[in-house]
């Protein structure tokens, strides 16, 4: 191999830019190739690490990973490829749609290159995680292992929607981000300027109603994917054609799944790990305390403890060394390695607990706000308890919890949510897994949302957010009658959290978490089309009596099957 035209990246690593890969349909994709030390001097062939991404291959997910040159210095060919329609690659970009075939063909091409020993591993997070899963489902020869981080196997329930509600802030924010490059590639200056203004003031985009009428949709020359995500508000063929929810059993190779307890795609990551464990060996999950970006010991001003600064690059290197070089250095890793919030320490587990502890909701009918009388107890209601009543107003929505373990105490002062708090704990309680909510609710609206949050109450009154879940009536019930009591059962996102001696466990119940999720209008109109003209307030009643014992089911660490 000639070194002419290659860039010296230090430590013996050479970079070759703009390497073409021509696909079977005539589209050419371009990648940057980092060659390990000694290859040009006859140092022999090596395994290849591949990342396929839509953000510009020079970035190469270095917001969370070491630069590709670092991995190359460890003895790997590293290839960072622009997916179809992004960066220098040809074709039109429609997220997820082409990644399965394009990924498989790229792997086949890489195996023919002189520097390759025929063994390929893939890595990357978020969209780059999904490109791994989609390629792996094609079962390309030579793909030995993957390391999908903070992603989802099921696009509908793990990426864009939860409990039937649109993940408004992440969907609209990411869609606008992706469309910016499409506007530039197509020479649409007016659209580009509008998108840049929108991107610089994202909070204003979430306020705009109806969100299906956003100004971006006025540019017909732009791709339709953001509109399509919003309009396809039910699971089905549209989503299944782009993800691996129906082809997951085809993925048989080892996978290291990485998730964050405060990541946007937490549920998608954990659900994917659990699903793949049922049909594939050598599945591992690393569940840290992190948000989507960055991964470390802080979320804003909040400290997560020094152990949160895990060296994920070193872990990834051991993973690839084990499977691509046969070193055996991943043999002693547990199937699940999870960081316990509160305690700020790592734990190991063979699986998620199958057993749970049931705690019941109680009040004398005034659980509104943290000043109310809502409580949690292991005792079932023994006598009639009046229901708790709150009003949902889409014009004055209950806010989302914020990023990370944010203090909910100020938000909990509002009467538009219910608060149920346990007695002071006399022993530590390690919640590990997804808390399940089971409440009996009646609403004055023909459609409604219920949102539940798990909160840790500190001795000083601070209330740290732990986990959230949402359910839309249309996702749970075929029919939902006005003022009819229905049993709502849904899960919060999973967590690992130690509630310490002297702390209290709390559940909040509301009908909104805006702008994390879209607002339900309380009328028959679809949420994406609703605005203040079509909003309607509703009254929610939560029952907890002998006949209707509302409860939460808490998975406890140590209850593994």
């Amino acid at each position: 191999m000639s070194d002419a035209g290659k860039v010296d990246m230090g430590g013996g690593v050479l970079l070759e830019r703009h390497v073409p890969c021509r696909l079977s349909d005539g589209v050419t994709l371009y990648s940057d190739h980092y060659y390990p030390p000694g290859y040009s001097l006859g140092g022999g062939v090596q395994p290849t690490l591949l990342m396929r991404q839509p953000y510009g291959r020079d970035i190469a997910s270095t917001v969370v990973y070491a630069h590709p040159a670092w991995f190359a210095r460890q003895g790997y060919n590293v290839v960072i490829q622009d997916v179809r329609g992004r960066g220098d690659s040809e074709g039109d970009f429609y997220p997820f749609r082409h990644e399965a075939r394009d990924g498989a063909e790229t792997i086949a091409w890489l195996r023919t290159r002189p520097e390759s020993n025929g063994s390929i591993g893939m890595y990357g997070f978020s969209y780059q995680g999904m490109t791994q899963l989609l390629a792996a489902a094609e079962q390309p020869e030579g793909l030995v292992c993957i390391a999908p981080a903070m992603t989802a196997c099921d696009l509908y329930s793990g990426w864009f929607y939860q409990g039937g509600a649109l993940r408004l802030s992440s969907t609209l924010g990411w869609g606008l981000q992706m469309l910016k490059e499409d506007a530039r590639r197509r020479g649409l200056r007016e659209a580009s300027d509008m998108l840049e203004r929108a991107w610089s003031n994202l909070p204003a985009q979430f306020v705009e109603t109806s969100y299906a009428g956003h100004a971006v949709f006025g540019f017909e020359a732009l791709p339709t994917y953001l509109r399509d995500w919003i309009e396809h508000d039910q699971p089905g063929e549209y989503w299944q054609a782009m993800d691996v929810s129906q082809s997951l059993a085809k993925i048989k190779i080892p996978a290291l799944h990485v998730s964050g307890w405060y990541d946007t795609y937490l549920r998608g990551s954990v659900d994917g790990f659990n699903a793949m464990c049922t049909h594939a060996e050598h599945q591992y999950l690393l569940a840290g305390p992190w948000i989507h970006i960055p991964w470390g010991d802080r979320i804003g001003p909040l400290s997560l403890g020094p152990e949160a600064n895990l060296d994920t690059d070193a872990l990834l290197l051991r993973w690839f060394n084990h499977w691509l070089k046969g070193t055996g250095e991943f043999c002693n890793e547990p199937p699940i390695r999870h960081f316990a919030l509160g305690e700020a320490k790592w734990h190991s587990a063979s699986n998620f607990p199958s057993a749970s502890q049931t705690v019941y909701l109680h009040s004398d009918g005034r659980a509104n706000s943290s000043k109310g009388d809502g409580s949690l107890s292991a005792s079932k209601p023994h006598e009639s308890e009046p229901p708790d009543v709150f009003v949902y107003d889409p014009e004055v929505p209950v806010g989302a919890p914020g990023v990370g373990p944010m203090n909910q105490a100020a938000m909990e002062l509002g009467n538009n949510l219910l608060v149920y708090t346990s007695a002071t704990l006399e022993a530590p309680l390690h919640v590990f897994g997804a808390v399940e909510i089971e409440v009996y609710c009646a609403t004055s609206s023909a459609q409604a949302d219920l949102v539940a949050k798990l909160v840790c109450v500190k001795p000083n009154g601070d209330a740290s957010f732990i986990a959230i879940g949402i359910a839309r009536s249309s996702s749970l019930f075929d029919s939902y009658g006005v003022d009819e009591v229905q049993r709502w059962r849904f899960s919060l996102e999973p967590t690992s959290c130690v509630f310490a001696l002297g702390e209290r466990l709390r559940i909040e119940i509301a009908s909104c978490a805006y702008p994390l999720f879209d607002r339900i209008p309380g009328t028959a109109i679809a949420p994406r089309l609703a605005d203040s003209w079509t909003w309607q307030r509703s009254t929610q009643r939560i029952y907890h009596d002998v006949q209707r014992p509302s409860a939460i089911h808490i998975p406890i660490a140590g209850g593994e099957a």
Side-chain angles (χ1 to χ4, degrees):
M1 180 183 73
S2 171
D3 293 347
K6 296 181 177 62
V7 180
D8 183 355
M9 298 298 293
V13 174
L14 296 178
L15 164 62
E16 182 180 9
R17 294 194 176 106
H18 211 249
V19 181
C21 170
R22 189 169 178 83
L23 302 178
S24 59
D25 65 355
V27 168
T28 298
L29 307 183
Y30 289 93
S31 50
D32 288 345
H33 291 218
Y34 297 81
Y35 300 101
Y39 173 72
S40 63
L41 301 177
V45 296
Q46 300 290 352
T48 300
L49 303 183
L50 169 65
M51 178 189 294
R52 305 189 64 253
Q53 52 72 54
Y55 300 108
R57 61 185 185 273
D58 52 338
I59 297 174
S61 291
T62 50
V63 290
V64 292
Y65 295 110
H67 193 274
W70 182 84
F71 288 103
R73 279 194 289 272
Q74 315 310 314
Y76 289 93
N77 305 299
V78 184
V79 176
I80 312 298
Q81 185 182 68
D82 289 328
V83 300
R84 178 185 297 250
R86 309 300 279 184
D88 293 323
S89 292
E90 297 174 353
D92 294 324
F93 178 67
Y94 192 104
F96 314 109
R97 182 168 284 175
H98 304 285
E99 307 304 358
R101 187 190 65 184
D102 289 359
E105 291 193 15
T106 295
I107 290 167
W109 165 70
L110 287 174
R111 297 185 75 232
T112 69
R113 291 183 58 82
E115 71 273 11
S116 171
N117 70 356
S119 294
I120 311 290
M122 294 184 74
Y123 76 111
F125 85 118
S126 196
Y127 193 90
Q128 296 84 278
M130 182 58 95
T131 61
Q132 297 174 60
L133 295 167
L134 287 164
E138 297 292 297
Q139 300 181 327
E141 185 177 357
L143 182 59
V144 176
C145 63
I146 56 177
M150 297 188 175
T151 191
C153 295
D154 185 320
L155 284 174
Y156 178 81
S157 64
W159 191 295
F160 291 99
Y161 288 81
Q162 182 176 331
L166 177 72
R167 288 183 169 273
L168 178 62
S169 56
S170 60
T171 299
L172 191 58
W174 186 57
L176 294 174
Q177 179 189 3
M178 293 292 98
L179 286 170
K180 286 197 302 176
E181 181 166 340
D182 290 306
R184 290 193 291 266
R185 286 175 67 100
R186 300 181 184 203
L188 304 174
R189 181 59 186 264
E190 184 181 356
S192 177
D193 290 346
M194 186 279 296
L195 285 161
E196 290 295 343
R197 289 192 299 270
W199 182 247
S200 66
N201 188 16
L202 275 178
Q205 314 314 308
F206 310 142
V207 173
E208 185 168 333
T209 56
S210 66
Y211 61 81
H214 192 282
V216 70
F217 301 129
F219 294 95
E220 295 184 357
L222 286 174
T224 63
Y225 50 79
L226 177 56
R227 179 188 290 114
D228 296 341
W229 300 337
I230 290 170
E231 291 181 350
H232 289 86
D233 58 0
Q234 299 296 320
E237 185 177 349
Y238 169 78
W239 300 104
Q240 294 168 0
M242 297 190 297
D243 65 23
V244 293
S245 60
Q246 304 303 300
S247 56
L248 204 59
K250 295 181 180 180
I251 304 177
K252 302 293 186 181
I253 60 176
L256 173 60
H257 307 256
V258 179
S259 65
W261 294 135
Y262 294 109
D263 177 45
T264 305
Y265 310 122
L266 166 62
R267 183 187 294 267
S269 293
V270 175
D271 284 354
F273 164 76
N274 286 328
M276 288 178 64
C277 282
T278 64
H279 60 76
E281 296 181 329
H282 308 301
Q283 301 298 304
Y284 296 84
L285 174 67
L286 176 71
W290 309 303
I291 57 175
H292 202 57
I293 303 171
W295 309 346
D297 64 348
R298 289 188 174 274
I299 298 178
L302 303 174
S303 174
L304 300 170
E307 289 194 23
N309 259 339
L310 184 71
D311 190 341
T312 50
D313 292 321
L315 183 72
L316 200 59
L317 180 62
R318 290 199 295 114
W319 170 257
F320 287 126
N321 286 346
H322 178 95
W323 295 109
L324 297 178
K325 295 188 175 182
T327 63
E329 57 193 280
F330 217 80
C331 287
N332 296 323
E333 281 292 323
I336 301 175
R337 190 176 179 187
H338 58 102
F339 186 94
L341 303 169
E343 187 185 44
K345 292 184 178 180
W346 290 95
H347 292 258
S348 299
S350 57
N351 49 42
F352 282 94
S354 57
S356 63
Q357 180 183 102
T358 299
V359 178
Y360 296 91
L361 279 59
H362 298 273
S363 82
D364 288 326
R366 196 170 59 86
N368 307 75
S369 84
S370 56
K371 298 176 292 183
D373 60 10
S375 65
L376 296 172
S377 168
S379 302
K380 288 184 177 181
H382 292 296
E383 58 187 36
S384 179
E385 295 182 4
D388 292 303
V389 183
F390 70 95
V391 175
Y392 164 62
D393 185 351
E395 193 164 2
V396 188
V398 174
V403 180
M406 300 293 292
N407 190 356
Q408 308 295 289
M411 188 183 301
E412 291 172 347
L413 295 175
N415 281 343
N416 53 355
L417 77 166
L418 305 179
V419 177
Y420 301 90
T421 310
S422 73
T424 300
L425 295 177
E426 297 180 354
L429 177 70
H430 189 171
V431 179
F432 176 46
V435 171
E436 191 168 33
I437 303 294
E438 181 182 10
V439 296
Y440 293 85
C441 175
T443 175
S444 64
S445 173
Q447 58 172 334
D449 286 346
L450 282 187
V451 175
K453 286 192 290 186
L454 175 66
V455 173
C456 178
V457 183
K458 307 296 183 180
N460 66 355
D462 287 348
S464 296
F465 167 70
I466 305 299
I468 193 169
I470 187 172
R472 183 154 287 171
S473 56
S474 58
S475 73
L476 291 182
F477 313 108
D478 293 332
S479 61
Y480 190 82
V482 172
D483 289 326
E484 290 183 1
V485 179
Q486 297 275 10
R487 175 176 167 269
W488 295 61
R489 187 158 186 161
F490 60 97
S491 296
L492 275 60
E493 293 191 323
T495 190
S496 175
C497 180
V498 173
F499 291 75
L501 174 71
E503 295 179 339
R504 292 176 292 163
L505 186 147
R506 174 173 288 170
I507 290 292
E508 298 176 17
I509 296 178
S511 280
C512 196
Y514 173 81
L516 180 62
F517 304 110
D518 63 348
R519 290 173 281 188
I520 199 162
T523 57
I525 193 168
R528 67 180 182 276
L529 302 174
D531 56 22
S532 59
W533 187 259
T534 52
W535 284 337
Q536 179 176 292
R537 301 181 188 93
S538 58
T539 300
Q540 270 59 295
R541 306 190 301 278
I542 302 296
Y543 292 83
H544 41 80
D545 50 38
V546 175
Q547 292 76 28
R548 295 161 292 195
S550 293
I552 60 173
H553 306 285
I554 307 171
I556 306 299
E560 291 89 353

